[in-house]
Amino acid sequence: MCPPTWTTAWGGDWFDVIELSGARVALVVGDVVGHGINAAATMGRLRTAMRTLADLDLPPDELLAHLDDTVRRLNDEDADDTDRVPAVVGATCLYAVYDPVSRRCTLARAGHPPPLVVDGQGGVTVPDLPAGAPLGLGLGLVPFESVELELPEGSVLALYSDGLVESRGEDIDVGLRRLGAALAEPGAALEDLCSRAMETLPAQAPADDVTLLLARTRALPPAQVASWNLPKELVTVPIARRLAARQLRAWGLEPLVTAVESLVSELVTNAIRHGDGPIRLRLIQHRVLTCEVSDTNTARPRSRHPGNLDEHGRGLHLVGRLSRRCGSRSVIDGKVVWAEQDLPSPTGAR
């Protein structure tokens, strides 16, 4: 996925691009009703909460449910403080996660306008994505829903705020068609598409903030991913070590063999002892090397700091010490535990 392009105005709109594990990326656009310092302050609180939740690597629908709880809690706290201006109720948000390995994008929204998808031939579609309720309206009993799309390589995903497509005396469908026509130019640079989209705004100054986030999808080549399905047996551990070491040497990453063998041993052993069902080992070579081990147990592991006499709890603690970053995430059929290693610098690089 190439770097995003955006244009913003003042007030309560926000956007974010967040790197996730496994070469995935999260794209976020949100909108707080109102203008001025109060809207901007509320926007800052929501953006901080969103980043904290994104670090937990939750599915989009679960993340929005937690963000909704956060907004309602902030509103309750502000209501108890008579000296504080109440938080703005009714913020909206769209959260998308793109996986360049599978080319699939999972999205959920909370009262926010739907995204646009522009394919490589310039065709524009509006995904059928449930609207969800705006954040903070006390509708916690209405669940948010995620939708998963497969995006061809080179597709442009457009996330925006309603100020770009809504205007007085004009139906939102007119604004969506106008925006889609501006983006329907195959191969155009994202910066140029962004400028074209902004030029479609009415001549008078917008009555609302305007935000546009564009991202063009890229697929990770199959040669940069290796995966193996393994039985849940202790004899699997040395097999997994050998498979990982062989793949690293094929990629020219010999300096990482020792560390990754240790990571694979700990992660696979943990999956055998505490997981369910078959085990899957996956290596991804992208900006970093990611080692993933998945199983069908939905319970996430907890890293502990064992004492000298403890027989258990050392594995994930060791994984954390061997990795630049590590963690776990839930998937439909279980969980994934992952760890990252920095790639060695090319020979001769300074």
Side-chain angles (χ1 to χ4, degrees), residues 22 197 227:
S227 64

Side-chain angles (χ1 to χ4, degrees), residues 3-7 188-198 214 216:
T5 299
W6 51 76
T7 300
L190 296 184
E191 291 81 0
D192 294 338
L193 291 178
C194 194
S195 297
R196 283 167 54 93
M198 298 306 297
L214 301 180
R216 179 171 280 125

Side-chain angles (χ1 to χ4, degrees), residues 80-103:
D80 294 336
D81 189 344
T82 57
D83 295 328
R84 182 183 297 177
V85 178
V88 179
V89 177
T92 66
C93 182
L94 173 60
Y95 185 78
V97 174
Y98 176 70
D99 184 344
V101 177
S102 65
R103 293 185 291 106

Side-chain angles (χ1 to χ4, degrees), residues 3-292:
T5 299
W6 51 76
T7 300
T8 62
W10 61 94
D13 286 11
W14 88 90
F15 58 85
D16 227 329
V17 179
I18 306 169
E19 290 188 9
L20 302 175
S21 63
R24 297 168 305 130
V25 63
L27 306 173
V28 188
V29 168
D31 185 4
V32 174
V33 177
H35 300 277
I37 188 64
N38 293 330
T42 301
M43 176 270 291
R45 297 165 80 182
L46 290 184
R47 187 172 182 232
T48 299
M50 169 65 77
R51 273 200 161 265
T52 300
L53 291 170
D55 286 342
L56 299 177
D57 221 336
L58 300 170
D61 54 336
E62 292 184 26
L63 183 143
L64 290 182
H66 284 284
L67 188 62
D68 181 59
D69 290 339
T70 299
V71 172
R72 285 187 280 134
R73 185 172 63 253
L74 290 174
N75 288 335
D76 291 341
E77 291 173 357
D78 289 346
D80 294 336
D81 189 344
T82 57
D83 295 328
R84 182 183 297 177
V85 178
V88 179
V89 177
T92 66
C93 182
L94 173 60
Y95 185 78
V97 174
Y98 176 70
D99 184 344
V101 177
S102 65
R103 293 185 291 106
R104 302 193 75 83
C105 184
T106 307
L107 312 95
R109 59 178 175 138
H112 202 81
L116 297 183
V117 177
V118 186
D119 62 30
Q121 291 71 48
V124 181
T125 58
V126 181
D128 185 12
L129 179 62
L135 301 169
L137 293 187
L139 301 178
L141 296 178
V142 180
F144 297 101
E145 297 182 54
S146 292
V147 168
E148 188 175 76
L149 309 173
E150 183 171 339
L151 300 180
E153 186 172 10
S155 300
V156 172
L157 186 64
L159 281 62
Y160 53 90
S161 61
D162 56 7
L164 189 59
V165 295
E166 290 184 354
S167 60
R168 294 176 181 175
E170 184 178 81
D171 189 81
I172 188 174
D173 290 338
V174 176
L176 286 174
R177 287 195 294 270
R178 185 175 62 238
L179 176 59
L183 299 179
E185 186 177 343
L190 296 184
E191 291 81 0
D192 294 338
L193 291 178
C194 194
S195 297
R196 283 167 54 93
M198 298 306 297
E199 290 169 358
T200 67
L201 288 171
Q204 67 271 23
D208 196 3
D209 306 337
V210 173
T211 300
L212 174 63
L213 173 61
L214 301 180
R216 179 171 280 125
T217 63
R218 293 286 182 262
L220 203 61
Q224 291 179 236
V225 182
S227 64
W228 304 271
N229 292 321
L230 305 169
K232 186 186 174 184
E233 302 172 1
L234 285 178
V235 295
T236 292
V237 177
I239 295 173
R241 288 170 58 98
R242 289 195 296 271
L243 291 171
R246 184 186 307 161
Q247 185 61 56
L248 291 180
R249 293 188 178 99
W251 281 338
L253 300 177
E254 287 86 352
L256 299 183
V257 168
T258 300
V260 172
E261 282 185 324
S262 296
L263 287 174
V264 168
S265 289
E266 296 299 338
L267 294 178
V268 172
T269 299
N270 189 71
I272 291 171
R273 288 178 174 172
H274 307 292
D276 293 328
I279 296 166
R280 184 168 179 246
L281 168 65
R282 185 167 77 159
L283 300 179
I284 303 172
Q285 181 193 181
H286 187 40
R287 294 187 178 91
V288 297
L289 178 76
T290 304
C291 174
E292 298 181 344

Side-chain angles (χ1 to χ4, degrees), residues 293-305:
V293 173
S294 58
D295 62 71
T296 58
N297 189 330
T298 58
R300 293 196 184 193
R302 293 185 298 113
S303 178
R304 294 181 292 174
H305 297 272

